[in-house]
Each structure stands twice: as C-alpha cells, then as structure tokens.
Amino acid sequence: MHNFNVFTGEPRKFDPTFKGPIYNRGCTDILCCILFILALLGYFAVGILAWSQGDPRKVIYPTDSKGQFCGQVGSPLEKKPLLFYFNIMKCASPLVLLEFQCPTTQICVERCPDKFMTLLKALQNEEDREYYKQFCKEGVDMRKVSSGQETFLKSNAVVEARAVAMRIFEDYTQSWHWILLGLVIAMLVSLIFILLLRCLAGVMVWVMIIMVIIVIGYGIFHCYMQYASLKGQAGSDVTIKDLGLQTDFSVYLQIQQTWLAFMIILCIVEAVIILLLIFLRKRLLIAIALIKEASKAIGHVMSSLFYPLLTFALLFLVIAYWAITAVFLSTSSEPVYKVFNTTECMYSRDTCKPETFNSSNVTTECPDAECLFAFYGGETLYHKYLILFQFYNLFLFFWCANFVTALGQVTLAGAFASYYWAFKKPDDIPAYPVFNSLGRALRYHTGSLAFGSLILAIVQVIRVILEYLDQKLKGAQNKCAKFLLSCLKCCFWCLEKCIKFLNRNAYIMVAIYGKNFCTSAKDAFFLLMRNIVRVAVLDKVTDFLLFLGKLLVVGIVGICSFFFFTGKIKIVEDAAPSLNYYWVPILTVVFGAYLIAHGFFSVYAMCVDTLFLCFCEDLERNDGSSDKPFFMSTELHQILLLEKHTKCRDRKIERPAILALIL
C-alpha cells in the first residue's frame, strides 16, 4: 500500500471549510516572476536596438548585393524594380528566415528573363549576348567564358520560383477581403455552434458526429467523381513522381493519382473515426452527459465564451512584436565582401569594398583577385551577436505566447471552479467569476504562469534547434547521426505534449488552491494517477468529441470557400475573384477557421477539464451523506453511477474472456 501511495499520493480529506477557489492566497513563484519581468525588459531593449539599427526598406524594396534598393524612386535603379538571384537554391537555408537575406549574388533588373539557354549558346549570337548582358554584374565581359555559366543554368528555376511567389501575392491582394469575410463567418459558425451546444448538448453532439461523417463522406465522393471524370483523358495517367515539381499547381489536379491520393486519405480518416465511435460507444453517453454539465456551467458563466477574444488580442500583440523585431533585426545586417582569387595571394579572404577595390593595390599584387559578395553581417559587436538576438527574440516569443495561453487557462479554470464548488447553483456562484479569476491570476500567480511557460518554451526552442540541425545534416552521409537526431526530435515532441497536458492540469490546481506551480503540478499529477481510468475514458472521449466539432466547423467553412473561390456557386459567381491559385485563399480560410474554432472550443475543453478534476476531488472529499454532501449536480452523480455500471459490465465481459484464454 505504501508503494502505491508513492505513485498516487494521499487522497483529499474532508474539509468543511473548503468552498471552492481560495480567495485568501499569497503570491507564488516570486523569483520566476522577477525573472520574467527582467526578460521582458531585455526583450524591449532588443526591440529598441533592432529598430535603431534595422532598415525596413529592405522588406519593402528588393535589395541587391551592393545594398542598393531596386525600384526606389529617385535612385539610379528606379527603372529596375525586380531582383534577380544568381543561385536561388542557396535561399533554402534556414538562416534565411533569420536574416531575410539570401547568400548569393543579386542584381536589380528591369524585367525577368523570358528565354533560357546556356552561356555557351548565348555567346554564339550577338543578339542573345546583348540580351543576357542585362543579367550580369557590372563590368563583366560577356566574351569571356567563365563560371557564370551556372548562373544561366539556374535562371529558369529563379524565374519560376519568383513567378509563383508573385502569383500568390497577387491572389492575396485580390482575395484578402473575402478571406477576412470567411474568417468572420467561421467565428459566427463557431459561436452559433457553441450556443446550440449550450442549449441542446445531447442533440448537438449526435448531429456533430453525423455531420462530420457526412462531410468527410462528401469529400470522398467528390474525389471519386474527379478521379472518374479524368479517366481516359490524355495525360491524366501521369504519376506525380513523373510530373516532378511544377510551379503551376493546377497541373496536379489534372492527373488521376492526385485525386486517388486524396480519396485514400479521406477514406482512412473516415474509417478511423467510425471505428473509434464503435469502440467508444459505451462511453459516449457518459461523455455527452459531461458535456451537458459543461454547457450548464458555461450558461452560468457566459462571459467565458468571449474570453478567447482577449487571448486572440494578446497573442496578436505577441506575434506582431516578434515579427516586427525579427524584420528589423534581419534588415540590420550589411553585405560583406571578401577577396577571392585562384592563385596564391596574401589578401585572400580579406574584407574589401567593391567601390574602391579596382583602385587598391590588391589588384596590382593579385591580378586575378575579385571583390565578391561573401555573406550578410557586419564587423561591429552588434552584428557579431545578431544571431543571438534573433534566438533571444524567438525564445521570448515562445515564452510570452505560452504565458498568454496559460493566463487564459488559469482564468477560465478559476471561473468554472467557482461554479462547481457553489453548493447552491446559481445562488452561491460569485459575481463576475471570469473577471475575479483574471485578477487573482495576475495579482498572485504571474510567477507560476511564467514558470510553467518557461519550461514549455525551453522545450520548444530545443525542438527548433533540432529542426535546424536536421536541415544542416540533410546532405550528410552519417546515418547514425540522422537516426539519433530523429529519435531526439520524437522524444522532445512527446515531452512537449506531456508538459502541455501537465501544465494545463497544474494551472487548474493553481486557480483553485493558489499554491505554487511545482506543488500544483504534483497535486494534479497524483490526482490524475488516482483516477487514471477516468482520465483515459471520460476526459479523452470528450476531447475527441470536441475535436469532431472543430472538424465540422472547418469542414463547413472549407467546403463553402471551395465552392465560392472556384466559382461553382451560380448566385455569387460574378463576385468571385479571378485567381491564379484558388487554393491560396481556401487554405488560408481553412487554417484560420481551425484556429478560431479551436479558440472557442478551448473554452469547452477547459470547462470539461476543470469540472473533471473538481469532480474527482469531490469524490475524495465527500461521500454524498448529509454530513459530507457532494457539490456535484444530480446529473454528474448519474454520470458516476453510469460509469460504475459500465465498468462493472466491462469486468464481467473480461473475466470469461480471460478464463477462455487460460483454458
């Protein structure tokens, strides 16, 4: 029995004075609170330093290798608004995301090349030679055959990649207002669904299950019809592998294999959902009853439905500050030039300036030396530590984003715990439960929120570093290192999921008892271990049902946006914008709709998790007698009886099965 308590802790004792979230509490994890404040001050200092050193014109205007802006009015390159990359493949490095610069020679051009050939072929014709001269660096003699041949070999990929980017940008400029309308519709659909779930929880859950199956089934039917319609058409039997990488993505929709792949994926998803519903059929009624109780709680705490708007606003500020700081940090670097030569030279790899290089004594002593672009950076102390500033910016972004999420979880947990531990509902529910819970979280538990967010941020940054190392090792031949890196990535992914789950339940305990993060995490862990069967059965089944709700909202909005942007709705056919890639706004709306639906359904999920932990504690503290009455409602008590009945029935089925196996 002693060893059992080591893993589960001691159950809660009856306390006649306990009436829910403790109001007489003190500040927790003060040291972490101070550390968080100092980190924020450092974050602001980095932002101010970046804004003083960066040049946002590098984002607005393309910049060539000499630091000149293409197309800027009043400059010598005013009539050359486009940027030509010599080797676009070098832009695939992850460091480009940090520096917003590509380590290859870039020149400003009036227009992109529209014909492609090797340098040797171009030199054979005067007209071709003059045409390609505009895509060479200044001072290059086109009559000399050099390593510049690689430039033109890559020009086709450069133009195609840039063309795709420009088409996507044009699609956004044409459809941004429709995308915004789609996101507003997603918000309204999510809110209406939540309100219906609050009023008709049982009916809406079954409607949700049936609708998800129907929506996915329609997707399978649509893919099959597209697959059948392409049968027999010329070129439709080409495989994706044979087709290769195409910049015109509509080409992939003209082959049968694409629609076959979509159909197989949707069939697998449909089969998994149906099988889960079949295996979990005994627990669905219990989960629906728990969702009904959560609907009642939300009905008495209606302001909780609008709290995600505050979370969205705070996350928007965090993301905006990180993005702006990242842009200014990235645009504060300068092009660095080095001396390159083929013969021995004492000035080799020294820093040089293209403007004064030809008049320097380097060309005298080393005739074949050239002053070429090496990398983006700088010689100052600020430039040397620029990469560290970027990682600090990324780390604080994760920390602040996790802190905002944690603040929302603690606030909602405190509000719903106030509802549960009110003996006479709704008379004993305190006024303004969400506002009071938010005030308690900020006043007393900023340090605890910062502590839990810091742990999660560290794991997330480690995952980013592992992804960066994975990119660097892609061309390596060391299979052992690749395998080890893959194992580390998997382990840290699992660790992040576990920490998120534990943090979520720890925040609920912080909201109820007002203890520090470590103590709350320990209490939450032991409480979950003492009710591990309920956690696996009740809590996770309700999470699955709420996930189906998110899929339903995303499916409805996604199908509507598909029919609109492809012009299949006759009523608004003329209003649909003319697009290069109709999937650009569709994917944007789908992704945004999922984030919006997740925000609204997270209120339900947090309510279910809070009621579940309070439910488990109520069972340990009280026994339902007149001296120790339950705080749970009659419906929740029926859930307990139904769960016991189901568990006993499962055991009766399991025992004969075990005996049969033994015999």
Side-chain angles (χ1 to χ4, degrees):
M1 186 68 179
H2 178 71
N3 293 331
F4 181 77
N5 290 336
V6 170
F7 295 100
T8 62
E10 293 293 335
R12 295 282 183 181
K13 304 297 184 181
F14 173 70
D15 184 3
T17 63
F18 180 74
K19 302 296 181 181
I22 297 172
Y23 291 87
N24 185 18
R25 57 179 71 192
C27 297
T28 56
D29 297 305
I30 300 175
L31 289 178
C32 199
C33 179
I34 296 173
L35 179 62
F36 184 58
I37 294 173
L38 293 177
L40 287 179
L41 293 177
Y43 198 19
F44 294 142
V46 170
I48 294 172
L49 183 62
W51 297 341
S52 64
Q53 298 289 330
D55 189 351
R57 290 184 301 172
K58 292 182 180 179
V59 179
I60 302 173
Y61 299 101
T63 310
D64 66 5
S65 296
K66 294 183 178 180
Q68 304 176 99
F69 298 111
C70 304
Q72 187 176 12
V73 179
S75 68
L77 301 175
E78 179 179 355
K79 295 183 179 179
K80 296 182 176 181
L82 304 178
L83 190 65
F84 181 78
Y85 292 85
F86 273 27
N87 188 356
I88 194 68
M89 301 304 174
K90 291 186 178 181
C91 301
S93 170
L95 286 178
V96 175
L97 298 175
L98 296 175
E99 299 179 2
F100 276 84
Q101 298 289 359
C102 191
T104 184
T105 304
Q106 306 157 40
I107 60 173
C108 299
V109 296
E110 186 175 352
R111 65 183 185 275
C112 292
D114 53 13
K115 56 182 179 180
F116 313 102
M117 63 186 70
T118 64
L119 178 60
L120 291 175
K121 187 176 181 180
L123 291 175
Q124 296 173 3
N125 185 284
E126 180 68 23
E127 182 181 351
D128 292 334
R129 187 164 61 245
E130 288 299 319
Y131 175 78
Y132 277 113
K133 190 175 181 179
Q134 61 182 315
F135 304 110
C136 293
K137 295 188 294 185
E138 294 181 7
V140 173
D141 190 352
M142 282 292 292
R143 291 171 296 184
K144 295 181 179 180
V145 179
S146 65
S147 60
Q149 182 178 356
E150 183 67 18
T151 297
F152 300 100
L153 293 177
K154 299 293 184 180
S155 58
N156 190 21
V158 172
V159 175
E160 289 185 355
R162 182 175 178 83
V164 171
M166 291 301 297
R167 289 172 192 155
I168 292 175
F169 180 75
E170 289 173 1
D171 288 343
Y172 276 121
T173 58
Q174 292 291 328
S175 61
W176 68 268
H177 49 289
W178 293 110
I179 293 175
L180 189 62
L181 179 61
L183 296 180
V184 171
I185 293 174
M187 184 179 296
L188 292 176
V189 171
S190 300
L191 185 59
I192 292 172
F193 194 89
I194 289 294
L195 292 176
L196 289 175
L197 197 62
R198 177 244 181 274
C199 301
L200 304 168
V203 176
M204 285 303 297
V205 168
W206 287 111
V207 170
M208 176 180 66
I209 294 172
I210 295 171
M211 286 295 293
V212 167
I213 296 175
I214 292 175
V215 168
I216 299 178
Y218 171 78
I220 296 172
F221 171 76
H222 180 79
C223 292
Y224 174 76
M225 294 301 296
Q226 293 292 329
Y227 174 81
S229 65
L230 291 173
K231 189 175 183 180
Q233 294 188 12
S236 63
D237 56 346
V238 178
T239 64
I240 297 177
K241 183 179 180 180
D242 294 336
L243 195 61
L245 180 62
Q246 299 290 327
T247 55
D248 186 2
F249 296 100
S250 61
V251 175
Y252 294 105
L253 301 180
Q254 305 302 319
I255 60 176
Q256 285 185 296
Q257 194 179 68
T258 301
W259 294 106
L260 180 62
F262 288 158
M263 184 171 62
I264 292 174
I265 292 172
L266 289 177
C267 286
I268 293 174
V269 172
E270 183 88 322
V272 169
I273 291 176
I274 292 175
L275 288 176
L276 284 175
L277 291 174
I278 292 174
F279 285 115
L280 298 175
R281 64 189 184 278
K282 298 177 182 178
R283 308 294 180 179
L284 285 179
L285 295 177
I286 305 175
I288 291 173
L290 193 57
I291 291 178
K292 285 182 180 179
E293 189 63 23
S295 300
K296 291 182 180 180
I298 292 176
H300 291 297
V301 191
M302 285 296 293
S303 56
S304 61
L305 285 177
F306 302 97
Y307 186 86
L309 299 178
L310 176 60
T311 301
F312 284 142
L314 293 177
L315 284 176
F316 176 79
L317 290 177
V318 171
I319 294 172
Y321 184 85
W322 165 78
I324 294 173
T325 304
V327 167
F328 273 86
L329 284 173
S330 302
T331 56
S332 60
S333 58
E334 300 174 352
V336 177
Y337 296 84
K338 298 285 186 180
V339 177
F340 290 89
N341 61 292
T342 55
T343 60
E344 186 177 352
C345 178
M346 61 180 298
Y347 299 103
S348 180
R349 303 302 186 268
D350 286 354
T351 304
C352 59
K353 293 184 178 180
E355 298 82 6
T356 61
F357 181 74
N358 292 331
S359 60
S360 65
N361 58 351
V362 178
T363 55
T364 305
E365 299 184 19
C366 307
D368 65 333
E370 291 183 280
C371 185
L372 300 179
F373 170 79
F375 56 88
Y376 280 92
E379 302 297 331
T380 65
L381 188 65
Y382 168 76
H383 288 100
K384 289 181 180 179
Y385 292 100
L386 189 60
I387 188 69
L388 294 180
F389 290 146
Q390 281 285 23
F391 274 108
Y392 184 77
N393 181 35
L394 181 66
F395 175 71
L396 263 294
F397 164 72
F398 282 131
W399 196 356
C400 293
N402 291 327
F403 180 86
V404 171
T405 304
L407 178 62
Q409 292 174 345
V410 168
T411 300
L412 293 175
F416 293 130
S418 299
Y419 161 83
Y420 184 93
W421 295 108
F423 189 74
K424 295 181 180 179
K425 303 174 179 63
D427 298 336
D428 293 344
I429 300 175
Y432 311 109
V434 174
F435 181 78
N436 290 335
S437 181
L438 176 62
R440 290 195 301 270
L442 290 175
R443 181 178 178 182
Y444 298 109
H445 307 302
T446 299
S448 297
L449 301 182
F451 193 0
S453 305
L454 175 62
I455 298 173
L456 189 57
I458 292 173
V459 175
Q460 290 171 338
V461 168
I462 293 175
R463 289 192 63 198
V464 170
I465 295 174
L466 291 175
E467 289 292 340
Y468 168 72
L469 293 177
D470 189 29
Q471 292 290 329
K472 297 292 285 185
L473 291 175
K474 271 190 174 179
Q477 302 298 324
N478 193 335
K479 295 184 178 180
C480 181
K482 290 182 179 179
F483 175 76
L484 180 61
L485 191 60
S486 299
C487 292
L488 287 174
K489 288 170 60 177
C490 180
C491 290
F492 276 95
W493 180 84
C494 296
L495 180 61
E496 181 183 353
K497 296 300 180 183
C498 293
I499 290 176
K500 282 184 177 180
F501 177 76
L502 187 59
N503 280 9
R504 184 183 182 90
N505 291 281
Y507 294 145
I508 295 175
M509 289 300 189
V510 169
I512 297 175
Y513 295 103
K515 297 180 181 179
N516 61 50
F517 177 81
C518 291
T519 303
S520 300
K522 181 191 68 174
D523 293 342
F525 176 78
F526 285 151
L527 181 61
L528 293 173
M529 289 301 294
R530 291 195 297 270
N531 298 271
I532 189 64
V533 176
R534 292 192 181 101
V535 172
V537 173
L538 297 183
D539 198 35
K540 295 301 108 182
V541 171
T542 54
D543 286 346
F544 172 69
L545 292 178
L546 294 178
F547 176 72
L548 292 183
K550 298 176 193 177
L551 287 184
L552 180 59
V553 173
V554 172
I556 292 174
V557 176
I559 290 175
C560 293
S561 62
F562 171 79
F563 279 107
F564 174 77
F565 287 111
T566 54
K568 296 183 183 297
I569 303 178
K570 299 299 181 182
I571 302 177
V572 292
E573 184 178 2
D574 297 333
S578 178
L579 303 171
N580 298 300
Y581 308 122
Y582 65 82
W583 51 264
V584 171
I586 293 176
L587 290 181
T588 306
V589 170
V590 167
F591 180 73
Y594 180 80
L595 292 180
I596 292 172
H598 177 74
F600 280 99
F601 277 88
S602 64
V603 176
Y604 249 94
M606 200 66 207
C607 182
V608 169
D609 289 347
T610 303
L611 295 181
F612 179 75
L613 284 188
C614 294
F615 169 75
C616 293
E617 287 222 353
D618 195 7
L619 291 177
E620 292 183 352
R621 289 178 176 275
N622 308 298
D623 56 10
S625 62
S626 57
D627 296 330
K628 301 178 182 179
F630 286 132
F631 281 80
M632 68 183 74
S633 63
T634 306
E635 290 78 6
L636 266 181
H637 191 252
Q638 290 176 352
I639 293 176
L640 175 62
L641 295 177
L642 182 59
E643 183 206 4
K644 286 184 176 180
H645 175 69
T646 305
K647 190 184 302 183
C648 292
R649 187 172 55 189
D650 290 346
R651 287 178 178 173
K652 290 178 181 178
I653 295 174
E654 289 172 359
R655 286 174 182 172
I658 294 172
L659 289 174
L661 287 173
I662 295 173
L663 295 174

